[in-house]
Amino acid sequence: MDKVELKKLELLAAKIRLDVMELLYHRGYGHLGGSLSLVELMAVLYGKCLHVDPADPQMDDRDMVVLSKGHAGPVWYSALAERGYFPKEWLMTLNDGGTNLPSHPDRTKTPGVDMTTGSLGQGTSAAVGIALGQKMKGQNRYTYLIVGDGELNEGQCWEAFQFIAGKKLNNCIVFIDENKRQLDGYTKDILYPFDYVAKMEAFGFHTQKVKGDDIEAIAAAIEKAQANKDSANCIVLDTIKGQGIKYFEELVSNHSVKFNNEANIKAAEEAIANLKEFIAKEEA
Amino acid sequence: MFKLTEDRKVKGTPLAKVVMQTIADVMDTDEKVVMLEADLGSASSSNIVEKAHPERYVQCGIAEADMVGIAAGLSVKGFKPFIHTFGPFATRRVYDQLYLSGAYAHNTINVYGSDPGFTVGPNGGTHTTWEDVALMRAMPTAVVTDAADAVQLEWIVREFAKMEGIHYVRANRKDVRNVYAPGSTFELGKGNVLTEGKDVLIITAGQLVSDALDAAEQLEAEGISTEVIDMFTIKPIDKELILSEVKGKKAVVAFENHSIIGGLGSAVAEVLAENCIAVPFKRHGCMDQFGQVGTPDWLQKEFKLTAADLIETVKGLLK
């Protein structure tokens, strides 16, 4: 990746992270940790990889994204807003009665959202169907499936993975957001996950593991996955829940954060100020 | 318009074959129709579809939840999926997938749940569903049907293939007695008055339509004038027909191959109660029990779902 493109994607990631912080801070609560761990992936997808047209969100011959860990809706909405699917003002309506941006993604409400998710595990199978449909229609397009590591507790994920791998559905690229934490604590303590790379390889996936905040590495892994036509493809993202904002990375319970105490409020305000400063500098 | 068959003793084509041959035929002209199977292709005859249209036949393996989700994803891409598995797995096991990835997400999935109620036969209690209609009725926007015979089932499948949304049809896999003459057509959401009568109203659906007609014949012979309605669309229920036909009746029975909780009987009771209709009424179905193993004939007797049992219920109400 050349420096110009990297700068562009770093700037986009900063904007997405700022949007997530601003909308959750405005709302007073929300799924912060698992949204922030996906910021860099969203920047690479929406800033570089996806064949989509925000002016025509229903364009049939397009790449699709399925955010199976639906509680990370805020980061998807932020990426969609930055890509121009809808006005950024919508972000402040998260969870309002009648909003187009419900806590969990809804394909009937939000331009750019192709599949409704929230009941964990279900997005995996839907992504299979979408990828199959792209192939049946002869479209040379990708379905990018994003699952959480906590979500992998759900058996349906493994049913879908077996299908993707067994049928070599190589246009469905699976991302595992390995942020190592879930609602009640660390994944290793809740339900020991073993080694995702070894598990996915045992299923038959060509599996890569990259740092989830490394834009160049994520982009390179996607290119490698696209080039591999011999098997299904998985990219494990080694991420941090609350990624990119030290205070929230270190906050013990950061799955859903409430901005109702001085420390959280101060940290959010500082993060917002820092991100704004970084963006202003980059844009100048 | 429908016409009754001339000989109700004759059985039609096995119902699973009817479903699958119809889907294969529809796929000849509608490239959006696809079929998904969960390793019951030989049992459901969906291998007919596989043979005719291998490119749009998706073998999902023994993974029903995944199958429903894949169907939802295909719907996102504009396809109209049909899925099959045994009734309890097609509804109870995958309810959240059908509900959220399907109905809530405004996707299209056509579901054939086979061998409902006593028709389960030797597969027994683990494979029995007495609650599929109750579950599917509670799913917003879902259309719920119970097919009386091969003619009606073919019509239902063809109709589903034209529609968008979640559609459920329950039917035996084996051959059942004919009710309708070939070429009969129907209207979703409209019940069919099969026999006129002034004393008793029997509202039924599915395979029990034949048994209800047997019962009506015997009741007529005994001087009890009996009207039979085939309410093959259980949701949306045909309220207008119930309200018009209940007028002047001395008794009303809802007769179903399903639990008395949440099925056709409940739907009829809701219409009667909400319209202040005071009439002797009985839900005649499975009395809140689990299924068990046996031949279908034995199970029909065991769960008191025969024509003779229906006659007893009618007479009890008339006392």
Side-chain angles (χ1 to χ4, degrees):
Chain A
M1 186 180 292
D2 64 43
K3 280 205 169 129
V4 178
E5 185 165 39
L6 178 60
K7 281 266 174 208
K8 189 191 88 175
L9 294 179
E10 280 171 351
L11 179 61
L12 177 58
K15 286 179 174 177
I16 293 171
R17 185 164 276 115
L18 173 62
D19 291 338
V20 170
M21 287 310 301
E22 283 196 310
L23 81 91
L24 293 180
Y25 184 57
H26 170 79
R27 188 74 293 157
Y29 64 89
H31 289 119
L32 180 138
S35 290
L36 290 180
S37 57
L38 286 174
V39 167
E40 279 72 17
L41 173 64
M42 285 293 177
V44 173
L45 288 177
Y46 283 91
K48 177 178 165 65
C49 293
L50 291 177
H51 178 80
V52 291
D53 179 4
D56 181 12
Q58 294 303 315
M59 176 179 75
D60 192 46
D61 186 26
R62 68 185 185 277
D63 290 333
M64 287 198 187
V65 173
V66 178
L67 181 65
S68 194
K69 46 171 283 188
H71 54 279
V75 73
W76 200 7
Y77 301 150
S78 299
L80 290 169
E82 291 296 340
R83 189 75 166 80
Y85 278 88
F86 47 78
K88 280 177 72 171
E89 291 73 52
W90 284 24
L91 294 175
M92 298 305 148
T93 70
L94 183 89
N95 293 355
D96 280 343
T99 184
N100 285 303
L101 305 182
S103 57
H104 297 80
D106 185 329
R107 67 183 286 264
T108 70
K109 293 195 180 345
T110 315
V113 167
D114 290 318
M115 186 56 199
T116 301
T117 52
S119 181
L120 291 174
Q122 291 196 24
T124 59
S125 305
V128 172
I130 292 168
L132 264 182
Q134 288 170 326
K135 287 213 167 185
M136 281 182 187
K137 287 186 162 183
Q139 295 169 343
N140 189 24
R141 294 292 166 221
Y142 290 95
T143 301
Y144 296 95
L145 165 61
I146 305 166
V147 296
D149 52 357
E151 181 179 13
L152 293 181
N153 294 173
E154 292 279 2
Q156 188 173 348
C157 299
W158 301 98
E159 291 185 2
F161 291 165
Q162 191 167 353
F163 188 105
I164 297 167
K167 313 247 177 186
K168 297 185 179 171
L169 198 60
N170 52 27
N171 64 328
C172 181
I173 297 179
V174 181
F175 296 96
I176 296 174
D177 177 12
E178 189 184 357
N179 65 29
K180 301 156 202 77
R181 288 201 250 174
Q182 55 195 102
L183 197 149
D184 273 346
Y186 286 90
T187 52
K188 66 180 169 47
D189 299 325
I190 305 291
L191 200 57
Y192 193 78
F194 300 94
D195 179 345
Y196 295 121
V197 173
K199 279 161 85 171
M200 296 305 278
E201 280 181 346
F203 266 63
F205 281 86
H206 170 249
T207 307
Q208 307 171 69
K209 187 165 183 172
V210 297
K211 293 294 280 180
D213 61 354
D214 184 337
I215 284 172
E216 282 185 291
I218 295 170
I222 292 172
E223 272 176 28
K224 228 175 181 179
Q226 288 172 337
N228 171 42
K229 304 290 180 195
D230 299 329
S231 67
N233 291 286
C234 174
I235 299 169
V236 178
L237 300 169
D238 179 4
T239 57
I240 302 167
K241 199 153 180 165
Q243 188 164 284
I245 302 174
K246 198 159 181 295
Y247 172 87
F248 291 109
E249 288 180 359
E250 290 171 354
L251 190 66
V252 174
S253 180
N254 70 1
H255 179 79
S256 181
V257 171
K258 285 194 179 77
F259 299 100
N260 62 354
N261 62 70
E262 212 176 304
N264 285 1
I265 290 169
K266 188 165 165 269
E269 288 178 349
E270 269 179 26
I272 289 168
N274 289 342
L275 286 160
K276 279 184 173 166
E277 198 187 330
F278 173 82
I279 291 163
K281 212 162 71 186
E282 289 297 306
E283 284 186 328
Chain B
M1 285 290 287
F2 66 85
K3 229 179 102 184
L4 293 178
T5 182
E6 284 170 6
D7 187 353
R8 290 199 300 105
K9 287 192 194 75
V10 176
K11 288 184 172 182
T13 309
L15 296 186
K17 282 213 169 82
V18 170
V19 172
M20 297 309 163
Q21 190 57 57
T22 306
I23 292 171
D25 292 349
V26 168
M27 285 167 88
D28 289 345
T29 53
D30 188 344
E31 62 188 21
K32 291 197 163 157
V33 175
V34 293
M35 173 81 214
L36 293 86
E37 178 57 80
D39 194 38
L40 287 175
S42 317
S44 72
S45 305
S46 73
N47 45 21
I48 294 172
V49 181
E50 182 181 21
K51 209 167 164 195
H53 295 283
E55 75 292 353
R56 277 179 283 147
Y57 179 85
V58 185
Q59 174 60 265
C60 301
I62 311 164
E64 294 83 5
D66 193 36
M67 173 171 72
V68 171
I70 294 172
L74 284 161
S75 170
V76 169
K77 282 302 294 176
F79 290 96
K80 295 184 283 188
F82 278 84
I83 66 169
H84 162 264
T85 180
F86 296 136
F89 312 142
T91 54
R92 204 166 67 209
R93 187 183 186 110
V94 298
Y95 195 69
D96 194 44
Q97 283 78 16
L98 272 179
Y99 193 105
L100 287 176
S101 293
Y104 180 76
H106 292 200
N107 279 316
T108 293
I109 306 176
N110 299 298
V111 184
Y112 167 33
S114 64
D115 295 359
F118 70 83
T119 70
V120 70
N123 275 333
T126 54
H127 289 52
T128 303
T129 173
W130 296 115
E131 66 297 308
D132 53 332
V133 172
L135 288 167
M136 295 308 291
R137 277 183 73 219
M139 186 179 293
T141 71
V143 170
V144 183
T145 64
D146 195 353
D149 73 353
V151 171
Q152 190 178 57
L153 183 56
E154 179 180 341
W155 183 88
I156 288 170
V157 171
R158 286 186 187 279
E159 201 65 12
F160 280 3
K162 296 176 202 159
M163 297 159 55
E164 290 184 351
I166 304 299
H167 316 117
Y168 179 63
V169 62
R170 68 199 304 255
N172 203 333
R173 280 179 295 147
K174 300 201 172 67
D175 52 351
V176 302
R177 288 195 285 157
N178 292 331
V179 174
Y180 296 101
S184 290
T185 59
F186 309 91
E187 200 179 330
L188 271 181
K190 297 287 175 202
N192 304 323
V193 177
L194 303 185
T195 66
E196 304 276 355
K198 60 180 177 25
D199 298 325
V200 174
L201 176 61
I202 295 169
I203 302 173
T204 186
Q207 189 168 336
L208 288 185
V209 169
S210 286
D211 300 278
L213 290 171
D214 292 346
E217 264 178 23
Q218 201 179 315
L219 288 165
E220 288 284 342
E222 296 179 34
I224 300 169
S225 174
T226 305
E227 173 172 342
V228 174
I229 292 177
D230 169 17
M231 194 64 82
F232 76 97
T233 314
I234 301 172
K235 184 188 174 190
I237 193 90
D238 189 350
K239 287 180 204 163
E240 289 72 26
L241 187 68
I242 295 171
L243 293 177
S244 72
E245 300 310 303
V246 76
K247 279 181 192 149
K249 298 294 192 298
K250 295 172 192 147
V252 177
V253 180
F255 182 48
E256 60 187 319
N257 178 24
H258 185 275
S259 170
I260 58 164
I261 297 170
L264 174 65
S266 295
V268 172
E270 288 156 17
V271 174
L272 296 177
E274 288 185 346
N275 289 279
C276 304
I277 309 288
V279 62
F281 170 72
K282 186 102 180 154
R283 293 167 298 156
H284 184 140
C286 172
M287 302 301 288
D288 198 19
Q289 295 160 280
F290 292 114
Q292 54 177 309
V293 77
T295 65
D297 285 347
W298 186 86
L299 290 168
Q300 191 173 4
K301 288 192 186 95
E302 176 68 13
F303 287 94
K304 300 193 181 310
L305 295 172
T306 67
D309 296 313
L310 175 59
I311 289 167
E312 206 180 307
T313 294
V314 168
K315 287 182 176 171
L317 278 181
L318 289 174
K319 265 182 198 162

